Amino acid sequence: MDFGIFYEIQVDSPLKHREREYQAFHDVMNQVVRAEEVGFTHFWTVEHHFQVGFAHSSAPEVLYGAISQRTSKIRIGHAVVLLPFPYNHPIRIAERVATLDILSNGRVEVGTGRSITQVELGGFGIPYKETRARWEEALDIITTIWKSKDGTFSYKGKFFDIPERTVVPMPIQKPHPPLWVACTSDDTHELAGKLGLGLLSFTLLVSPERLGQRVRSYRNAIETAKPYGAFVNNRAGAFSMTHLADTDKQAREEAERAFMSYVGTTLRVNSTVLEAKKTGVDPQDLARGQVPDLPTQYEGLDPSKVTIDSLIDNGMCICGSPDTVIRQLERIQKEAQLDQFLAMMQFWSIPHAKTMHAIDLFGKYVIPHFRNDKASRPATTDAAAD
């Protein structure tokens, strides 16, 4: 199992203290350098917009360029780049990824996604019912460019009508960088497999046993994949909130505020679209106050009853001393058989020094326990596109 370090880039009270935003980005760059030194194989960030304090990674491709010049081995991954236009134009994504692939000497991974927060969808004027169709068409355009002989292509679809043009530059990874997709529901795990995309799954209020079921659904579907890209990426990864300290007690005390804040904020920003999916009412039509502050149910649980202890006990986060964390990851790996675990370790309420210590503990004790003789691989190419 490979290990990646995963970021939202959180900032404590940034509107009152803009210097903290500056410091957070520089802390992240130092953390990634340390992560590479201690054995992490991948670095990933989200792309989010308008989420003050919670996620300041709104222009991740800029950060990736800086990271690419401070590191030499760690792979650099979008987790994810938002494909529905007008978040990003697919041609611009293809251009930016190719440029980063050149600057990083072929270390790019391309996770794709849609976003289900009304604050983002509404801010960019994207109807939530169109996100999958827009994501799929953008993915088709990007892979059409990369599968072409020299970047020359044309495209006519529902959302785009592009005359013949030649895109430059092209990626140096051949045939192109590995493609992934973020998945939060049962059907998207299966869809990821059908489309031959690597899996980026989430463990927010998801037990290892439930995660294992979803990964198996993905594995079954990918056996008959018809990939958009030039090859099948059959690797499965999952993200989890992660914090290590010298003792379980210390780790719990340091992580409680951060983890509970993350759960609450994530569910609140998603609640409008989650409610719309249940009721069929367009989230733009919902008056303020009609949608609950927290969803009444998420992954079969009542979010209002979630505590740090229930998260730890049910394997829904990684928190403890190195020995405890190893046992927690063994439980996840027994059920899910992941190819990669993505550790979110930077939080607004945990000081940079404690995050660096957690990274050091993870690298010194946890990664060696799970390392095997097989070298890290960017993707598998055992099933080519038709």
Side-chain angles (χ1 to χ4, degrees):
M1 179 166 59
D2 286 336
F3 290 94
I5 189 163
F6 170 86
Y7 287 88
E8 302 268 5
I9 308 184
Q10 299 201 330
V11 184
D12 184 11
S13 303
L15 300 186
K16 293 181 180 179
H17 303 279
R18 281 295 180 185
E19 73 280 2
R20 294 178 181 175
E21 188 173 52
Y22 169 92
Q23 190 60 51
F25 276 90
H26 286 269
D27 288 346
V28 166
M29 288 191 287
N30 289 331
Q31 290 166 17
V32 177
V33 170
R34 181 68 62 84
E36 180 182 70
E37 292 171 350
V38 302
F40 283 85
T41 58
H42 292 69
F43 155 67
W44 305 84
T45 79
V46 301
E47 177 193 335
H48 277 314
H49 304 276
F50 317 124
Q51 300 198 25
V52 179
F54 180 75
H56 285 237
S57 183
S58 58
E61 64 280 352
V62 180
L63 175 63
Y64 298 163
I67 293 293
S68 75
Q69 302 307 295
R70 287 165 169 79
T71 58
S72 61
K73 296 180 295 183
I74 199 166
R75 294 187 66 80
I76 300 170
H78 281 280
V80 297
V81 58
L82 297 177
L83 295 194
F85 184 77
Y87 283 136
N88 295 286
H89 194 289
I91 293 176
R92 296 287 289 122
I93 294 172
E95 293 168 339
R96 294 196 306 253
V97 168
T99 302
L100 179 62
D101 205 42
I102 291 168
L103 293 176
S104 67
N105 292 310
R107 289 187 280 144
V108 180
E109 307 268 343
V110 186
T112 67
R114 299 183 281 154
S115 175
I116 60 167
T117 74
Q118 185 56 27
V119 66
E120 292 175 297
L121 295 171
F124 282 86
I126 302 171
Y128 90 95
K129 291 183 179 180
E130 291 184 2
T131 59
R132 180 172 290 185
R134 293 188 186 215
W135 165 78
E136 201 159 346
E137 187 162 305
L139 181 63
D140 193 22
I141 292 170
I142 294 165
T143 53
T144 296
I145 294 169
W146 287 343
K147 289 188 293 184
S148 68
K149 181 179 179 180
D150 59 2
T152 301
F153 87 110
S154 62
Y155 192 90
K156 188 174 182 62
K158 179 178 180 181
F159 303 104
F160 295 95
D161 187 355
I162 304 170
E164 184 173 291
R165 295 292 187 271
T166 300
V167 175
V168 292
M170 290 285 274
I172 63 171
Q173 291 184 80
K174 300 302 180 187
H176 55 70
L179 295 164
W180 306 68
V181 62
C183 299
T184 58
S185 63
D186 292 351
D187 66 320
T188 53
H189 283 72
E190 185 175 352
L191 178 65
K194 289 179 178 178
L195 299 181
L197 301 170
L199 173 68
L200 296 171
S201 191
F202 290 78
T203 63
L204 187 69
L205 304 190
V206 176
S207 69
E209 292 74 22
R210 184 73 177 126
L211 175 64
Q213 292 173 359
R214 288 176 168 174
V215 172
R216 286 190 291 275
S217 173
Y218 165 76
R219 301 275 192 212
N220 290 336
I222 209 165
E223 290 181 1
T224 55
K226 295 182 178 179
Y228 267 109
F231 62 93
V232 169
N233 177 11
N234 65 359
R235 307 194 74 212
F239 127 93
S240 187
M241 299 178 291
T242 303
H243 187 63
L244 285 76
D246 296 320
T247 67
D248 290 350
K249 181 175 183 292
Q250 183 182 358
R252 184 195 179 284
E253 290 174 351
E254 293 172 358
E256 182 173 13
R257 190 180 182 196
F259 285 16
M260 294 309 299
S261 171
Y262 186 84
V263 171
T265 302
T266 300
L267 296 183
R268 285 183 178 91
V269 298
N270 291 337
S271 63
T272 306
V273 172
L274 292 173
E275 189 70 10
K277 286 182 176 180
K278 288 196 304 182
T279 63
V281 177
D282 191 309
Q284 297 183 51
D285 297 334
L286 293 171
R288 186 178 297 275
Q290 284 185 280
V291 178
D293 201 21
L294 284 173
T296 55
Q297 189 180 81
Y298 185 85
E299 294 289 352
L301 301 174
D302 180 351
S304 67
K305 293 182 169 56
V306 174
T307 66
I308 184 66
D309 292 319
S310 69
L311 290 173
I312 294 172
D313 293 344
N314 290 294
M316 297 174 179
C317 68
I318 300 298
C319 183
S321 66
D323 285 343
T324 295
V325 165
I326 287 170
R327 291 195 299 272
Q328 292 168 343
L329 284 168
E330 284 178 335
R331 176 183 175 186
I332 290 175
Q333 193 62 345
K334 177 184 176 183
E335 297 294 336
Q337 294 294 299
L338 299 173
D339 298 297
Q340 184 175 163
F341 176 79
L342 285 65
M344 179 180 174
M345 304 181 78
Q346 187 267 347
F347 296 88
W348 66 272
S349 64
I350 298 179
H352 170 62
K354 293 185 183 297
T355 301
M356 291 289 272
H357 184 54
I359 292 170
D360 286 341
L361 291 174
F362 204 101
K364 184 175 181 179
Y365 298 106
V366 180
I367 292 176
H369 179 82
F370 290 93
R371 180 176 289 135
N372 56 34
D373 294 333
K374 181 183 287 187
S376 172
R377 56 196 171 100
T380 58
T381 58
D382 52 352
D386 293 333

